[in-house]
Amino acid sequence: MKMYDEKHLKNVVLIGAAKSGKTTLAEDMLFEAGIISKRGTVEERNTVSDYHEVEHERGSSVYATTLHTEWRDYKINLIDTPGLEDFAGEVISSIRVCDTAVMLLHAQAGVEVGTELIWDYVDRYNKPTILAVNHLDNEHANFPLVLEQAKRFFGPAVTVMQYPVNQGPGFNAIIDLLKMTMYRFPAGGGKPEKLPIPPEEQAQADALHNELVEKAAENDDALMELYFEKGSLDEDELRQGLKIGMMRHQVFPVFCVCARNNMGSGRLMGFIDNVAPSAVEMPPERTEDGGEVPCDPAGPACLFVFKTLLEPHIGKLSFFKVLSGEVKAGQELVNEKGNTIERLNQLFIADGRNRQPVERLRTGDIGCTLKLKNTFTNHTLNEKNFTAQIDPIHFPPPKVRVAIVAKNKADDEKLGEVLAEIHTEDPTLEVEYNRELKQVILHGQGELHLAVTRWRLENIYNMQVDYLPARIPYRETIQKAAQASYRHKKQSGGAGQFGEVYMTIEPYYDGMPPHKDHPVRDTEEIALNWGGKLVFNNCIVGGAIDARFLPSILKGVMEKMQEGPLTGSYVRDVRVSVYDGKMHPVDSNDISFKIAGMMAFRDAFHQAAPQLLEPVYDVEATAPDVMMGDIMSELQSHRSIITGMDSGNASQVIKARTPQAELDRLLSALRNVTQGKAKVKAIFAEYAPVPQDVQKKLSEDYRKVEQANGQH
């Protein structure tokens, strides 16, 4: 492969809502450059980027796929991304390492929900952006309306570079305002014919060209002076002004394409070559400690791993961007995480499943390598004697959760290993081994995300699994003081067991006064791992219980607090005062007093007005004004308490408190009633009392399970 210097390398991410045509446009770009000899289609399942089996089954992208094309002495690295929020991790990591984003807009649907969600990440990373209006052959195509929507959403930076002459089923011509030429495409697409602008289009083309000139000039003082002096700018001057504007997020050029018919991709690639910034023109990468790594071809070798892919029969593939210097096959680099040495045995340029070996990759380029033992997504590899840890990609928190079990119990251990592998590949899928809930919990971005994970388990790893509702981490406490005693006595031939404990329990709160009925000899205050406190008072007088048995009583209380009497949930915020008891000179021992303490606590707890607490989340839903009624209705039907409302630009923000027991169903319901247009955030707020009817049912269910298991 030809080697390109850093100024002739362009990294472009294709983004947009589902079905906007990203994969088809990528296919056009590879075909036009001669990388492939025939264009595939999503329907025929033979495109270069959507090559995974799950993508063939779904008919849409699930993974971000790295590709490359070579166009007029430039190398363009492309990353084709999914268009659904469930696969946001693939999109975010791709945006992070690319230097220009091409946002596809459907000529009928315009700025869709997926467009809005993805734009948040583009805007956060401040990436130069090109808008490409696709599907201009659609019978309902409406370029002016899409342009109006884009200006309303993206702002005044939207700048028309091209417009269609005859949108709709007969579409085949574009007016290019930079070159002031009409491109007319042959019936099968491909290389267009360059023609003069028709007389009937001249006035509109002149007006839009003048707007383009003004937009380019306003981004640079020198260009503005030239514009005032000459009254216009030539093509090179326009390119210069547009590049400056793109890098400042003040120009979003609008192009016209019809990817299905291979129209417009060549002109788009030419603009990427000549105007879109290369990595060396972009701001330096930031490090975790606030430093910078300039994109310097003469600097020390530094690469950043942005994606990990596990492929059957191949192993682990690590995709990276060279941030500085040059990397070579066989080179040894230092992984800053753990300070380990990794050898780059082979380097590849990837085009979907096809990988072309190369000997070296230069600054700004994107490539992949095989079988790095200790390197994963977000890791930095550096030349020896150079230290930098690149600020990691910040993935969104999970939105839904489910418990997972292997249908075959013999697969339990293997399931844990497989889920760890999948998390390596997809950091937005989190795996939690919850000892409290006694479940393995999968946290994902949405129901489709979890469904694809299940497909992979069953079809790639040959493992049958069930998804179950994830349990709720309830807490138990008490509302009033109560007393109880318990005598543990056991005689079985030899040495027996004897211990008797009297205790008082009370609801605990910070700053509460000392126990009023029994003088306290000493106190132990324990901050519980699951939240809240246990205060344990020794109120024994006269040696009724030897001091050496107090730790055993405390141990028994703690064991029962880890499996509360009401529902088996953790107990919190209780003060226990042991004030009396009895011993036996021979049969008393630690186990006797541990059991006596546990059972006395259990009996007292049931008399102390036990209260079940549930985790409650602060929920914030942002959506268009017209959807507020539906959102309010769903919130109220899921036991939510509305806490406030704020207004935004043509949108409203509703704030509420929602129990976790309702949260998963609520998020799914909100996605349905708003067609995915609501942006919803949920953050843990507090533990709050559950309604009495809910507490009664949960307590009865727990008692039935105990009885079924032979417990009392």
Side-chain angles (χ1 to χ4, degrees):
M1 173 182 283
K2 178 180 175 181
M3 294 299 295
Y4 294 85
D5 65 37
E6 64 282 355
K7 293 179 181 178
H8 288 78
L9 288 168
K10 303 296 176 80
N11 299 311
V12 175
V13 58
L14 301 179
I15 55 177
K19 308 300 181 183
S20 59
K22 302 178 294 295
T23 298
T24 306
L25 178 60
E27 199 77 4
D28 284 355
M29 295 168 86
L30 268 63
F31 175 73
E32 284 298 309
I35 303 297
I36 57 176
S37 58
K38 181 182 178 182
R39 291 191 308 138
T41 67
V42 173
E43 293 75 19
E44 293 175 354
R45 302 179 178 182
N46 59 352
T47 56
V48 177
S49 61
D50 283 3
Y51 67 93
H52 295 89
E53 188 179 347
V54 66
E55 294 174 315
H56 290 165
E57 284 205 11
R58 284 190 38 77
S60 62
S61 301
V62 170
Y63 297 90
T65 303
T66 303
L67 315 160
H68 94 284
T69 184
E70 297 172 82
W71 190 250
R72 296 174 183 168
D73 294 324
Y74 283 83
K75 179 187 177 190
I76 303 174
N77 290 314
L78 297 169
I79 305 183
D80 176 27
T81 65
L84 294 169
E85 185 183 7
D86 291 67
F87 311 116
E90 300 283 328
V91 181
I92 296 166
S93 58
S94 304
I95 292 171
R96 171 63 186 274
V97 296
C98 284
D99 306 308
T100 300
V102 174
M103 171 78 80
L104 270 75
L105 303 176
H106 195 295
Q108 177 185 349
V111 179
E112 301 174 75
V113 176
T115 312
E116 297 178 13
L117 295 170
I118 292 166
W119 178 250
D120 288 345
Y121 303 117
V122 178
D123 202 34
R124 182 186 308 169
Y125 289 122
N126 205 35
K127 296 292 184 177
T129 304
I130 298 169
L131 305 177
V133 181
N134 190 23
H135 298 294
L136 284 163
D137 62 333
N138 187 287
E139 62 178 331
H140 300 295
N142 192 333
F143 182 83
L145 181 60
V146 173
L147 192 62
E148 180 185 329
Q149 290 180 356
K151 289 181 176 179
R152 192 163 56 242
F153 182 78
F154 299 106
V158 173
T159 305
V160 181
M161 301 290 298
Q162 298 175 336
Y163 70 90
V165 174
N166 54 344
Q167 62 181 337
F171 169 75
N172 71 342
I174 293 167
I175 301 292
D176 190 290
L177 302 168
L178 181 62
K179 293 184 174 293
M180 288 303 283
T181 298
M182 184 173 83
Y183 293 101
R184 187 168 66 195
F185 297 91
K191 187 174 181 179
E193 184 181 5
K194 297 179 183 178
L195 299 169
I197 295 174
E200 63 272 19
E201 297 292 338
Q202 194 66 54
Q204 182 179 358
D206 287 341
L208 290 172
H209 177 77
N210 289 336
E211 289 180 16
L212 176 62
V213 173
E214 290 176 8
K215 198 71 179 176
E218 70 184 28
N219 293 297
D220 184 78
D221 290 342
L223 287 176
M224 184 62 81
E225 288 183 17
L226 270 176
Y227 174 59
F228 286 141
E229 180 182 324
K230 300 192 306 182
S232 186
L233 297 174
D234 63 30
E235 191 174 324
D236 288 338
E237 291 162 347
L238 282 173
R239 289 195 187 107
Q240 180 185 344
L242 291 170
K243 174 177 284 191
I244 294 170
M246 287 177 66
M247 294 182 67
R248 293 176 179 172
H249 247 214
Q250 294 172 354
V251 172
F252 302 144
V254 178
F255 280 79
C256 296
V257 296
C258 180
R260 180 169 48 194
N261 295 328
N262 188 23
M263 297 178 182
S265 61
R267 182 70 189 96
L268 177 60
M269 285 192 287
F271 184 83
I272 290 169
D273 285 351
N274 295 321
V275 180
S278 60
V280 292
E281 295 171 298
M282 293 292 286
E285 281 285 349
R286 305 289 297 182
T287 61
E288 283 187 336
D289 59 6
E292 294 182 345
V293 177
C295 191
D296 181 5
C302 173
L303 62 84
F304 176 68
V305 177
F306 67 92
K307 178 179 171 67
T308 302
L309 187 63
L310 302 172
E311 289 206 350
H313 315 301
I314 294 176
K316 185 170 76 171
L317 282 165
S318 299
F319 291 82
F320 60 84
K321 181 179 183 180
V322 183
L323 303 183
S324 173
E326 181 180 85
V327 294
K328 303 173 184 176
Q331 187 173 3
E332 290 188 344
L333 298 174
V334 179
N335 185 332
E336 293 300 316
K337 295 284 188 182
N339 196 32
T340 56
I341 303 295
E342 293 280 23
R343 181 180 176 85
L344 308 179
N345 289 311
Q346 293 175 288
L347 298 176
F348 300 94
I349 296 297
D351 288 310
R353 71 168 77 248
N354 302 315
R355 280 127 210 161
Q356 181 177 344
V358 293
E359 287 301 312
R360 63 185 66 205
L361 290 168
R362 291 178 174 170
T363 299
D365 213 344
I366 288 175
C368 66
T369 189
L370 283 170
K371 300 178 181 178
L372 298 181
K373 292 182 179 179
N374 301 300
T375 298
F376 303 94
T377 300
N378 271 333
H379 286 192
T380 306
L381 299 181
N382 293 320
E383 187 177 304
K384 295 175 183 177
N385 302 318
F386 174 70
T387 302
Q389 180 61 50
I390 299 302
D391 188 45
I393 301 162
H394 299 284
F395 293 103
K399 297 178 178 65
V400 297
R401 66 188 196 123
V402 69
I404 183 172
V405 295
K407 289 185 177 180
N408 185 347
K409 294 300 179 185
D411 285 339
D412 282 349
E413 185 175 341
K414 181 184 175 185
L415 177 61
E417 295 172 357
V418 168
L419 289 174
E421 277 193 16
I422 293 176
H423 172 70
T424 295
E425 205 172 15
D426 180 4
T428 65
L429 185 83
E430 298 181 7
V431 184
E432 175 193 359
Y433 302 89
N434 195 302
R435 295 179 62 186
E436 174 188 354
L437 304 179
K438 301 179 178 65
Q439 288 182 315
V440 178
I441 310 292
L442 279 187
H443 300 267
Q445 297 299 310
E447 293 174 2
L448 178 58
H449 190 203
L450 295 177
V452 167
T453 301
R454 183 173 187 163
W455 185 95
R456 293 180 63 193
L457 288 166
E458 294 178 348
N459 291 275
I460 304 299
Y461 294 96
N462 298 315
M463 182 175 295
Q464 298 299 308
V465 298
D466 282 326
Y467 280 173
L468 305 173
R471 298 184 185 120
I472 306 301
Y474 292 106
R475 297 288 181 265
E476 298 179 20
T477 191
I478 54 175
Q479 301 177 80
K480 68 177 187 180
Q483 292 184 351
S485 64
Y486 190 89
R487 172 182 288 187
H488 175 70
K489 184 177 181 180
K490 185 177 180 182
Q491 199 70 39
S492 56
Q497 294 180 1
F498 182 88
E500 188 170 352
V501 171
Y502 290 73
M503 70 171 58
T504 298
I505 68 173
E506 307 163 273
Y508 173 78
Y509 57 90
D510 287 337
M512 68 185 298
H515 198 286
K516 60 183 179 181
D517 296 327
H518 305 287
V520 178
R521 295 183 60 187
D522 58 71
T523 297
E524 187 171 352
E525 185 175 298
I526 301 167
L528 302 168
N529 292 335
W530 52 87
K533 289 182 180 179
L534 165 65
V535 174
F536 187 78
N537 290 333
N538 174 9
C539 302
I540 298 294
V541 293
I545 299 177
D546 216 37
R548 63 192 174 94
F549 292 129
L550 267 296
S552 297
I553 297 172
L554 173 59
K555 187 175 181 181
V557 170
M558 284 290 293
E559 282 195 13
K560 179 46 65 176
M561 289 183 73
Q562 292 181 58
E563 192 170 341
L566 199 60
T567 62
S569 305
Y570 288 147
V571 177
R572 59 180 288 169
D573 298 325
V574 176
R575 183 165 74 178
V576 175
S577 300
V578 178
Y579 63 89
D580 202 357
K582 292 181 182 177
M583 298 184 298
H584 186 279
V586 176
D587 292 344
S588 288
N589 52 28
D590 287 331
I591 188 67
S592 302
F593 277 99
K594 173 187 163 185
I595 294 172
M598 178 188 298
M599 303 309 284
F601 179 82
R602 182 199 66 178
D603 293 348
F605 195 91
H606 282 300
Q607 301 172 45
Q611 174 68 63
L612 190 64
L613 306 174
E614 63 182 342
V616 177
Y617 281 68
D618 280 327
V619 175
E620 188 175 287
T622 305
D625 296 344
V626 294
M627 296 179 175
M628 288 301 104
D630 289 335
I631 291 175
M632 293 276 282
S633 176
E634 288 296 341
L635 286 167
Q636 290 166 352
S637 68
H638 289 83
R639 290 203 289 127
S640 301
I641 298 173
I642 308 299
T643 59
M645 292 183 68
D646 292 324
S647 297
N649 293 329
S651 65
Q652 294 276 352
V653 179
I654 297 183
K655 299 178 181 179
R657 283 275 173 101
T658 303
Q660 187 179 11
E662 298 285 340
L663 192 59
D664 289 340
R665 291 192 294 272
L666 172 64
L667 295 176
S668 178
L670 289 178
R671 179 176 285 193
N672 289 336
V673 300
T674 66
Q675 296 87 49
K677 292 183 180 180
K679 298 177 187 176
V680 184
K681 294 190 295 186
I683 301 173
F684 173 75
E686 62 175 355
Y687 271 90
V690 304
Q692 277 302 309
D693 59 328
V694 176
Q695 175 171 319
K696 182 179 179 182
K697 183 181 185 307
L698 291 169
S699 182
E700 288 174 353
D701 291 346
Y702 177 68
R703 194 156 51 246
K704 289 176 184 176
V705 171
E706 277 195 311
Q707 290 170 354
N709 292 336
Q711 299 177 16
H712 304 286

